[in-house]
Amino acid sequence: MPTKKPKYDAVSSLLFIFLVSFPFLVSSKSTIEPCSNFDSCSAVVGYTLYTDLKVAEVASLFHVDPIALLTANAVDISYPDVENYILPAKLFLKVPITCSCVDGIRKSTSTIYKTRPSDTLFNIADDIYGGLVSADQIKEANANSISDPSVLNVGTSLVIPLPCTCFNGTDNNLPAVYMSYVVRPVDTLSGIASKYSTTLTDLMNVNALGSPSIKDGDILAIPLSACSSSFPKYALDNALSVPNGSYAITASHCVQCSCGSGTRNLYCTPASLAVSCSSMQCKNSNLMLGNITMQQTSAGCNVTTCSYGGFVNGSIVTILSSSLQPRCPGPQQFPPLIDPSSLVGQDSSFAPAPSPSEIAGAPTVPISSVVPSTGSTIQFPPANGPAGSAGIATSDSSVVNPLAGFPITFLLALYLRNLLPLGL
C-alpha cells in the first residue's frame, strides 16, 4: 500500500518560509556607500561610553588624537591634563574619523583594538564599540588573525571596520560631514532629524528608507551641516571639514579651526596648545593667522584678513586677502566651549544624542591673542552629493521590515499547530 504523503496547507508553507527568513528580516539596517577611488573624507561616529573612561582611553579605542576628540565635542583643551579627565558611562561623544574607500565601499579601518581577557567578538562589537560594528564584520576584517572566533588570544590586534559615508562632503549641494549613528530604543527618525537640524525627508533620502520606521541597532548616516576647507590637495589636511558647533585641531596641534552655528565659514586661529610651530604671520604684512583689519570708507569697508591655507611639508600656509564689503563685519561667533569638569555626571542614555552646546553652559571664547574675523570665503564642494537617494546603496535589509516586532513565539506555535494534524 503506497505511503500517504502529508498535505502541506498554504498557511504552513508561508509560516515555514517566514521562520526561515526571520533572522534576515530583523537584522539592523545600515547605509553603504560604494566607491571606486582612494579619496578620503572627514567623518564622525556617534559613540556612547559603555563605562567610565579617560579621554585618552576613548581616543585609544578609536585610534584618534585625544585633542582632536575633545575639539570635535567643543571641549576646552586649555585645561591642565585635560587628556586624563574621566568621562562618565553613557556619555555621548562625536568621534572624528577618516572615511576611506576599502574594497569598493566606504569604511574606516584605522581603528585597531587589542583583545583583553574574557573578550569575545560579540562583546567587542556590542559593548565596547556600542553596536557600530558587528561581530561578523570584525571576523571578516580579521580573517587572517582569527583562527577560532570562539577563542581570542589576549593581546591580539583586531581591525575594527567602522561604518562611515562621504557623499562627496555635501548634502543637498551644501558642505556636510556625515555621522554614523546607532539608533536606540527611545529614538524616532523625526526626533533625530530635529536634533541635528535636518529634515525627516532628508534622512529618509540619505539612508534610502522606504518609511520613517527605524529600530534599535540600525545605523543611520546623519548629515551635519559643516564648514569645508579649500586647501590644496597636497596639504596634509586638505580634507578638513568641521561640523557646525565644533572645532578641529590641525597642523600638529598648532592651528584650531571652528565652525560657528549657522555658518559655512571655516575660521582658524593659533591653538591654545601651540608651542613649537612654524610662522603664522602672513607675508608682506604684520598680521598673524586669524587677524583682521577693517577700514570704513565712503565706498564701503576695506577688510584685510590673514587666513589659514593648510599644512604643507611641516609648514603652516597663511593667505593674505583684501576685499571691499558693503559694511564692516561684526565679531566672529565661536561655538560655545565646554568645561571638561562639567562632563562628569552627564547621562545621555535616555535622550537623543546631545549637541555640544546643550551640554555646556554659556559660550566661551577660545584662548587666543588674535583678533576675531569673519573667516574665509564660503566654499562649496562639487554639487553632486546626495540631494536624494541617488548614488546610495544599502544593505540587503535596508527596507524597513513591518514584521520585525511580531512575536516569534506566536508564529512558532501557529506553525506547529498546523503541522501536528498532518502526523509529521
Side-chain angles (χ1 to χ4, degrees):
M1 183 175 179
T3 304
K4 186 177 180 180
K5 294 183 179 181
K7 295 181 180 179
Y8 290 87
D9 61 16
V11 174
S12 297
S13 299
L14 288 174
L15 284 173
F16 177 79
I17 293 172
F18 177 85
L19 290 171
V20 170
S21 60
F22 182 83
F24 301 98
L25 291 172
V26 298
S27 58
S28 299
K29 302 184 298 296
S30 63
T31 301
I32 298 175
E33 179 189 1
C35 56
S36 58
N37 56 51
F38 297 100
D39 290 342
S40 60
C41 72
S42 300
V44 174
V45 292
Y47 178 64
T48 302
L49 274 65
Y50 68 100
T51 187
D52 292 356
L53 292 171
K54 292 181 180 179
V55 171
E57 288 176 317
V58 179
S60 179
L61 276 180
F62 291 91
H63 269 229
V64 299
D65 180 0
I67 299 301
L69 174 65
L70 292 170
T71 54
N73 291 276
V75 176
D76 192 343
I77 59 175
S78 66
Y79 282 74
D81 201 28
V82 70
E83 297 177 23
N84 284 316
Y85 267 73
I86 297 176
L87 304 174
K90 305 299 183 181
L91 181 69
F92 182 89
L93 294 174
K94 295 174 182 176
V95 181
I97 60 172
T98 298
C99 188
S100 306
C101 184
V102 183
D103 299 328
I105 63 171
R106 292 289 183 191
K107 66 176 73 171
S108 176
T109 56
S110 59
T111 294
I112 308 295
Y113 176 78
K114 283 195 174 183
T115 55
R116 297 173 290 193
S118 73
D119 269 344
T120 67
L121 292 183
F122 288 100
N123 99 281
I124 293 172
D126 295 341
D127 299 332
I128 296 175
Y129 285 96
L132 283 165
V133 65
S134 70
D136 286 342
Q137 288 170 332
I138 298 176
K139 178 183 175 182
E140 182 180 355
N142 298 274
N144 296 328
S145 304
I146 303 176
S147 55
D148 183 357
S150 64
V151 180
L152 297 178
N153 295 324
V154 175
T156 301
S157 294
L158 299 179
V159 175
I160 307 297
L162 298 173
C164 63
T165 48
C166 290
F167 296 132
N168 204 36
T170 66
D171 177 48
N172 294 307
N173 302 327
L174 294 175
V177 170
Y178 285 83
M179 177 173 67
S180 298
Y181 178 82
V182 181
V183 173
R184 293 172 294 180
V186 296
D187 284 328
T188 63
L189 198 64
S190 60
I192 293 172
S194 175
K195 190 69 181 179
Y196 293 104
S197 301
T198 185
T199 65
L200 184 65
T201 299
D202 199 17
L203 281 183
M204 290 178 64
N205 287 338
V206 167
N207 293 280
L209 297 176
S211 81
S213 298
I214 54 176
K215 65 179 185 299
D216 183 26
D218 288 346
I219 301 176
L220 300 178
I222 302 177
L224 306 176
S225 180
C227 298
S228 178
S229 66
S230 57
F231 308 148
K233 283 190 174 295
Y234 51 80
L236 191 62
D237 49 3
N238 71 86
L240 184 66
S241 193
V242 184
N244 276 171
S246 62
Y247 296 79
I249 197 80
T250 187
S252 295
H253 290 183
C254 290
V255 176
Q256 182 170 295
C257 299
S258 65
C259 182
S261 181
T263 182
R264 305 283 179 183
N265 301 330
L266 190 65
Y267 179 65
C268 302
T269 64
S272 58
L273 297 180
V275 282
S276 301
C277 303
S278 63
S279 174
M280 299 191 208
Q281 184 173 346
C282 273
K283 292 181 179 179
N284 304 319
S285 79
N286 59 355
L287 297 182
M288 299 294 292
L289 177 63
N291 283 163
I292 180 173
T293 62
M294 295 176 285
Q295 184 178 11
Q296 186 68 54
T297 68
S298 58
C301 184
N302 287 316
V303 180
T304 303
T305 304
C306 181
S307 57
Y308 179 60
F311 194 51
V312 180
N313 296 326
S315 297
I316 296 169
V317 176
T318 55
I319 300 173
L320 187 67
S321 60
S322 298
S323 63
L324 181 65
Q325 300 181 17
R327 61 181 63 86
C328 290
Q332 174 68 27
Q333 296 298 311
F334 292 95
L337 280 177
I338 301 169
D339 179 342
S341 63
S342 70
L343 294 173
V344 178
Q346 291 285 345
D347 186 345
S348 58
S349 59
F350 298 105
S355 61
S357 60
E358 290 181 326
I359 301 177
T364 305
V365 177
I367 297 174
S368 174
S369 60
V370 300
V371 179
S373 76
T374 56
S376 57
T377 304
I378 300 175
Q379 299 291 334
F380 295 99
N384 59 346
S389 58
I392 299 175
T394 59
S395 62
D396 292 339
S397 57
S398 62
V399 177
V400 174
N401 171 31
L403 298 175
F406 203 74
I408 184 61
T409 51
F410 172 78
L411 292 170
L412 184 59
L414 185 59
Y415 176 58
L416 293 175
R417 180 171 174 266
N418 278 271
L419 287 185
L420 288 175
L422 300 176
L424 294 181

